[in-house]
């Protein structure tokens, strides 16, 4: 992914400083980025010569030159009309502005925003890439508030590591069924553009495909979908991510993919709901979203297609539906590598996560011969605000993984004192297909004792509570419908 330069960081910092203005108008962190996206979309179309997509009266200059209540009223009409299919016909514009509303109530605050945006160094922003600027704003939002927006934001060093290992290629269909703000898709696009001189080495038909047909995905949360489309547009990708629920029949319409890169949401569907997919057989009766997403990914892969997916630990050890899913996965796919991730890299430190790397077989039986496990969790610090995750943390894993995206490079089992080990399919079967395999001393508690920032300490506590609630929900889910049914009512987790 593009490096954020000091100039871009300066522009991001100036944009982020405007959130203090909006906070006085009752606009929170998460709403701020959505609010600023509406205005940045208009301004960036003006900066890139793309204003032909908009009705003349709703272009940036017409909005920015207005004053007072007239400007605020015009802005409110603009949001309504650009999201109205009877007024606006451009699909991207409609998708970004559908159901758009402003939380601004004071004309002075809107004027402060438009004035400040106009004063930014747009020449430098264009030179360095407007997509890089917007990506920096999304990252800043996630870093400032790990709950909320952070739950949709996979750490960029992890994304870049996964993309380098999976080596997306021109002409491949790449899917993210839980796209968030499009981090994986943007990183894959950047990887391909670096290898093809920004697509100029490709025939025009292939370049057109990369811009318009290579990337597919879904995002359920409406405001996050807006940010996703904006991010894709600013990186030269036109649409491709739909505002749908992957675990509904709409998910089948995402089609087949050569490569799936994703970090699905953790937890259970609200109200204990089940997937409504007609093609699901393994996870049809569970409300556990991460299990159901794994089934979608396996079904979405073309024969020979590959995937890298972030999952919490319970996917590796949960019994009943979880075990059936793992057995099915290892039959249909070559699950060749598992990366045990450090704690604290997501919004909740107590949530332990992994990356599964697998390739869909051309038959439906016996594709996994052995599973390699790399433990990047034991004897590692707890990452958080005072210790952010960096690309350096993944250097040894990338070396040991090897140059073959499908795990076929020569590898060395490092034994009980090393981080990288091989377990045959028979050894995994002896564990009842439990893939939560650890052999190094668990140092998570030691790492958490070293936390100093109140935000990191609070995140650790919340993470452990969420993990406990998830265990209770899983138990309730398994007992649902049996005699002596256990009924558990859980409060919504605070974001």
């Amino acid at each position: 992914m593009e490096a954020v330069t000091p100039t871009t960081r300066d522009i991001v910092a100036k944009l982020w400083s405007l959130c203090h203005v909006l906070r006085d108008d009752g606009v929170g962190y998460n709403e701020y980025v959505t609010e600023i996206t509406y205005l940045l979309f208009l301004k960036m179309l003006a900066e890139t010569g793309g204003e032909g997509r908009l009705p003349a009266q709703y272009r940036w200059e017409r909005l920015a030159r207005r004053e007072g209540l007239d400007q605020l009223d015009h802005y409110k009409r603009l949001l309504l009309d650009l999201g109205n299919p009877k007024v606006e016909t451009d699909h991207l514009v409609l998708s970004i502005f559908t159901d758009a509303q402003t939380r601004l109530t004071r004309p002075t605050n809107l004027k402060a925003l438009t004035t400040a945006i106009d004063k930014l160094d747009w020449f430098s922003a264009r030179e360095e890439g407007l997509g890089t600027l917007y990506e920096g704003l999304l990252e800043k939002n996630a870093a400032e508030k790990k709950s909320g927006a952070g739950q949709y934001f996979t750490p960029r060093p992890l994304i870049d590591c996964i993309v380098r290992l999976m080596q997306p290629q021109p002409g491949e269909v790449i899917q993210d069924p839980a796209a968030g703000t499009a981090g994986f898709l943007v990183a894959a696009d950047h990887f391909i553009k670096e290898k093809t001189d920004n697509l100029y080495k490709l025939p025009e038909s292939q370049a057109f495909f990369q811009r318009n047909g290579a990337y597919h995905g879904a995002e359920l949360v409406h405001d996050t979908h807006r940010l996703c489309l904006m991010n894709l547009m600013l990186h030269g990708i036109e649409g491709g991510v739909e505002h749908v629920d992957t675990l509904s029949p709409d998910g089948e319409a995402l089609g087949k993919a050569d490569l799936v890169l994703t970090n699905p949401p953790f937890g259970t569907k609200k109200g204990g709901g089940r997937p409504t997919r007609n093609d699901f057989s393994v996870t049809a009766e569970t409300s556990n979203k991460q299990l159901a997403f794994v089934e979608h990914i396996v079904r979405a892969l073309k024969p020979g297609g590959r995937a890298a997916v972030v999952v919490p630990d319970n996917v590796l050890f949960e019994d009943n539906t979880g075990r059936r899913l793992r057995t099915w996965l290892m039959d249909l796919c070559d699950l060749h590598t598992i990366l045990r991730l450090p704690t604290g890299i997501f919004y909740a430190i107590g949530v332990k996560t992994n990356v599964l790397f697998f390739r869909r077989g051309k038959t439906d039986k016996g594709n996994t011969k052995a599973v390699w496990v790399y433990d990047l969790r034991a004897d590692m610090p707890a990452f958080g605000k005072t210790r952010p995750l960096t690309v350096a943390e993944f250097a040894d894993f990338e070396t040991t993984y090897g140059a073959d995206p499908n795990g076929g490079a020569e590898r060395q089992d490092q034994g009980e004192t090393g981080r990288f080990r091989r377990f045959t399919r028979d050894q995994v079967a002896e564990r009842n297909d439990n893939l939560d395999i650890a052999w190094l001393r668990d140092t998570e508690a030691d790492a958490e004792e070293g936390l100093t920032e109140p935000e990191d300490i609070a995140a650790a506590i919340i993470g452990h509570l969420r993990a406990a609630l998830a265990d209770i929900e899983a138990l309730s889910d398994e007992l649902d419908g049996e005699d002596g049914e256990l009924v558990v009512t859980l409060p919504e987790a605070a974001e």
Side-chain angles (χ1 to χ4, degrees):
M1 200 170 294
E2 302 97 323
V4 178
T5 67
T7 301
T8 299
R9 280 196 294 269
D10 179 61
I11 297 173
V12 169
K14 289 177 179 177
L15 281 172
W16 188 253
S17 69
L18 298 175
C19 74
H20 301 298
V21 176
L22 297 185
R23 198 178 303 148
D24 293 336
D25 217 343
V27 180
Y29 280 113
N30 303 343
E31 297 162 323
Y32 162 68
V33 176
T34 301
E35 190 83 55
I36 206 74
T37 291
Y38 301 144
L39 295 170
L40 285 177
F41 181 80
L42 302 174
K43 177 62 175 174
M44 289 176 171
L45 285 184
E47 291 295 323
T48 57
E51 284 190 303
R53 308 182 78 146
L54 300 171
Q57 70 270 28
Y58 292 142
R59 295 173 186 175
W60 175 257
E61 183 59 32
R62 296 280 188 95
L63 172 66
R65 72 188 184 194
R66 292 175 183 263
E67 302 282 346
L69 190 59
D70 175 56
Q71 186 186 45
L72 183 58
D73 287 342
H74 181 76
Y75 180 51
K76 290 178 178 178
R77 287 194 303 273
L78 177 155
L79 294 180
L80 286 173
D81 284 352
L82 293 185
N84 183 350
K86 295 180 179 179
V87 177
E88 181 56 55
T89 58
D90 187 287
H91 179 71
L92 176 63
V93 176
L94 269 175
S95 296
I96 288 179
F97 287 96
T98 294
D99 297 327
Q101 293 180 326
T102 180
R103 292 292 302 275
L104 295 172
T105 59
R106 302 176 187 176
T108 52
N109 286 340
L110 177 59
K111 192 62 183 178
L113 286 177
T114 56
T115 300
I117 288 172
D118 258 339
K119 288 182 177 179
L120 293 175
D121 183 0
W122 287 102
F123 176 80
S124 295
R126 286 194 305 272
E127 288 293 303
E128 297 187 16
L130 296 180
T132 306
L133 168 62
Y134 191 69
E135 192 83 358
L137 183 63
L138 295 175
E139 189 165 13
K140 178 71 172 174
N141 187 44
E144 288 291 322
K145 192 70 173 174
K146 280 199 170 185
S147 60
Q151 65 183 304
Y152 306 115
F153 197 96
T154 307
R156 292 313 184 228
L158 175 58
I159 287 179
D160 290 343
C161 165
I162 290 172
V163 168
R164 283 193 296 269
L165 294 177
M166 299 307 282
Q167 301 176 36
Q169 299 296 313
E172 290 187 322
V173 174
I174 301 171
Q175 182 190 122
D176 185 346
T181 54
F184 275 113
L185 299 181
V186 166
D189 179 67
H190 179 65
F191 183 91
I192 291 172
K193 285 177 176 173
E194 277 200 323
K195 303 293 184 183
T196 61
D197 189 23
N198 204 31
L199 306 183
Y200 286 112
K201 290 182 179 179
L202 300 178
E204 179 52 38
S205 61
Q206 288 189 29
F208 180 85
F209 171 78
Q210 291 304 129
R211 291 189 294 267
N212 297 275
Y215 305 103
H216 298 265
E219 173 51 46
L220 179 60
V221 179
H222 204 153
D223 280 344
T224 308
H225 183 243
R226 300 183 209 278
L227 308 185
C228 174
L229 292 180
M230 178 77 162
N231 202 17
L232 290 171
M233 181 200 75
L234 294 175
H235 286 90
I237 304 168
E238 193 71 19
V241 175
E242 302 298 326
H243 176 227
V244 296
D245 180 0
T246 298
L247 304 183
S248 76
D250 292 329
E252 296 179 58
L254 292 177
K256 299 293 185 180
D258 299 287
L259 173 61
V260 175
L261 304 167
T262 190
N263 176 13
F266 305 160
T268 58
K269 288 180 73 68
K270 292 185 182 297
R274 283 17 177 195
T276 57
R277 291 275 292 267
N278 296 322
D279 61 333
F280 276 17
S281 59
V282 185
T283 63
E285 299 304 317
T286 183
S287 62
N288 185 312
K289 289 187 290 189
Q290 56 264 31
L291 295 180
F293 267 99
V294 173
E295 178 166 2
H296 163 81
I297 293 162
V298 173
R299 294 190 181 281
L301 286 174
K302 299 176 182 178
R306 61 202 187 282
V309 52
V310 180
V311 297
D313 272 11
N314 73 294
V315 172
L316 304 186
F317 65 74
E318 189 171 307
D319 206 358
N320 301 309
T321 301
R323 181 185 176 188
R324 288 193 300 273
L325 177 71
R326 292 190 299 275
T327 303
W328 177 78
L329 166 66
M330 287 186 285
D331 270 344
L332 270 66
C333 302
D334 176 14
L335 175 61
H336 52 81
T337 311
I338 298 175
L339 170 63
R340 292 169 61 85
L341 290 170
T343 60
I345 65 173
F346 291 103
Y347 62 95
I349 289 178
V351 175
K352 300 176 183 178
T353 54
N354 314 267
V355 185
L356 307 183
F357 297 87
F358 54 90
R359 183 186 192 188
R360 179 69 189 261
K362 297 183 179 179
T363 63
D364 290 348
K365 276 292 183 183
N367 279 287
T368 299
K369 308 300 183 185
V371 180
W372 288 81
V373 180
Y374 189 99
D375 191 340
L376 194 59
R377 184 180 306 166
D379 197 26
M380 293 290 287
F383 291 92
K385 194 169 186 177
T386 55
R387 170 104 187 214
L389 191 70
T390 67
V391 293
E393 319 296 345
F394 298 102
D396 183 66
F397 170 62
E398 291 189 40
T399 299
T400 54
Y401 184 99
D404 183 352
N406 295 308
E410 184 177 347
R411 294 173 167 184
Q412 183 68 42
D413 188 319
Q414 297 175 356
E416 293 185 358
T417 60
R419 291 193 180 275
F420 203 34
R421 298 198 64 191
R422 180 180 185 269
F423 300 88
T424 67
R425 182 67 184 89
D426 287 341
Q427 288 174 311
V428 174
E430 289 172 3
R431 298 171 47 87
N432 294 319
D433 287 347
N434 182 325
L435 290 166
D436 187 26
I437 304 172
W439 59 94
L440 297 173
R441 188 174 77 88
D442 185 358
T443 57
E444 179 193 6
D446 298 342
E448 288 188 5
E449 286 176 3
L451 296 174
T452 57
E453 285 288 324
E455 181 181 345
D456 290 338
I457 296 170
I461 295 170
I462 291 171
H464 289 302
L465 289 173
R466 282 180 172 167
L469 290 175
D471 289 342
I472 296 171
E473 286 179 320
L475 175 61
S476 176
D477 193 43
E478 292 297 339
L479 294 177
D480 186 24
E482 297 180 2
D483 292 337
E485 175 184 347
L486 173 66
V487 178
V488 180
T489 301
L490 298 173
E492 289 292 318
E495 295 294 358

